[in-house]
Structures are given as C-alpha cells and as structure tokens.
Amino acid sequence: FCRVDPYGFERPEDFDYASYEAFFSRYLVVLTRRAIKWSKLLKGKNSIQKSLKVKRYIRKGIPNEHRALVWMIVSGAQTNMEQNPGYYHRLLEGEKNAKLLEAIKTDMNRTFPDNVKFRKTADPCLQHTLYNVLVAYGHHNKAVGYCQGMNFIAGYLILITKNEEESFWLLDALIGRILP
C-alpha cells in the first residue's frame, strides 16, 4: 500500500498495513456490491428521486465514484448551480473585500498540512482552488464571510468533487441551508 491514501493524506509511520490489507480485502466485496447497486440506481443520469431505498443506500455509504454527484443532487447544490450559470466566476471576478482575503490567506497553510495535494510543492496545488472557493463564498454570503474552520470543510469538498465550482455550491448548501 502507498504511504499516501487516495485523498492525499499521508499515513502515519506506525500505520499497520497488514491489518489494513486484511480488513480491506474482506470489505472490498461489500464496496463492490454497493457500487453496482448505486450504478444501477443512477444509470448515467443526474437525478435521484427521494425514496426509502435511496435513504437506505445513503446511510450505508456512497461509493467514492458517485459521492460528488450524489452530494450535489441530494443537497440541492446541483440545482442551484444549474439555475445560476456563471455566478461563481462572477464572484471571483468582482471587487474583493481586503479583510476577507487576509483572513482566508492566514489559514491557507494551516489547511490539511498532512495532505500532499495542499502543499505548495504539489502540482497542481489545491491551495489556489481552496482560496478561490473561500473567496467566492465570502463574497456570496457576506453575513457569514469567512470563519475559521471553513477551510477544512471546503478543502474536503474539493478533495471529493475535484471541481472548484461544485465545491463552492456544496459549501453554500451546507452553510446556507443544511447546517444553520
């Protein structure tokens, strides 16, 4: 196994690769079965009808390959993004609040220091993507702006979606509708 997990986090020196392999070899059967069920449920479409079946599937876990899409749909972020084309980019191109930018810059190097994808030496370095998402969100929701800890939420969303704009809309769904 690699010293870095699929999301870019370094495993600790004392990581027990043998136990991990023993567990994962058994669990892979379960993950494969779930992935097949999710693929049948989605059938290449970008919509999910709410049902007890979908709720049960979500509670058991969304496979990595479907997680970003399911989060976007279930949270309402996909609908908001589709109803506001170009909005995210307009936020980035607009006038900036200097205090907001300074607060965000302060936390950039503190975000996932054990993740190789957020290091300045990474190619590409996700710090720029994270910065954009947080700046756009801070200008989108001026009442909240930027709060310490949002960098970790946004960073995680970026790791899952691998998409800057989707991460912005998911952050908006979480902070604006799901978590307040």
Side-chain angles (χ1 to χ4, degrees):
F1 286 99
C2 185
R3 178 127 170 75
V4 177
D5 76 9
Y7 295 106
F9 291 98
E10 290 181 308
R11 293 188 167 106
E13 293 291 329
D14 62 346
F15 187 78
D16 186 349
Y17 290 95
S19 294
Y20 182 77
E21 185 175 1
F23 165 78
F24 204 75
S25 64
R26 291 186 311 274
Y27 192 53
L28 195 56
V29 175
V30 174
L31 293 177
T32 303
R33 188 172 52 243
R34 281 190 196 145
I36 291 168
K37 288 181 177 183
W38 273 100
S39 293
K40 287 179 183 176
L41 178 74
L42 294 170
K43 291 181 191 147
K45 55 188 176 188
N46 285 357
S47 65
I48 300 173
Q49 297 299 318
K50 287 185 180 182
S51 69
L52 291 176
K53 180 180 183 177
V54 170
K55 190 175 189 177
R56 188 176 69 248
Y57 278 23
I58 289 172
R59 286 184 174 165
K60 287 184 177 184
I62 305 166
N64 293 348
E65 64 267 25
H66 300 299
R67 192 167 292 155
L69 174 63
V70 173
W71 283 5
M72 288 292 291
I73 294 168
V74 172
S75 69
Q78 184 73 33
T79 301
N80 278 355
M81 185 172 77
E82 289 168 359
Q83 290 174 348
N84 297 286
Y87 177 69
Y88 173 73
H89 296 289
R90 286 192 301 278
L91 287 168
L92 291 175
E93 293 165 1
E95 194 173 319
K96 306 289 187 295
N97 176 320
K99 285 180 84 173
L100 173 74
L101 300 182
E102 189 58 37
I104 292 169
K105 285 179 185 174
T106 301
D107 280 349
M108 280 296 102
N109 291 324
R110 299 176 186 167
T111 307
F112 297 133
D114 58 340
N115 189 301
V116 298
K117 296 178 181 185
F118 283 93
R119 291 190 182 143
K120 287 183 180 176
T121 56
D123 185 28
C125 175
L126 292 181
Q127 281 190 8
H128 181 69
T129 302
L130 176 63
Y131 178 79
N132 284 347
V133 170
L134 294 172
V135 167
Y137 187 78
H139 286 95
H140 165 71
N141 186 342
K142 289 179 174 57
V144 172
Y146 173 74
C147 302
Q148 195 172 24
M150 285 172 64
N151 54 324
F152 290 102
I153 297 168
Y156 185 68
L157 295 174
I158 291 165
L159 289 172
I160 296 299
T161 65
K162 298 173 182 65
N163 182 291
E164 192 172 306
E165 186 173 7
E166 288 180 5
S167 298
F168 165 79
W169 287 108
L170 276 168
L171 186 64
D172 178 52
L174 280 170
I175 296 173
R177 290 187 311 282
I178 297 170
L179 297 177

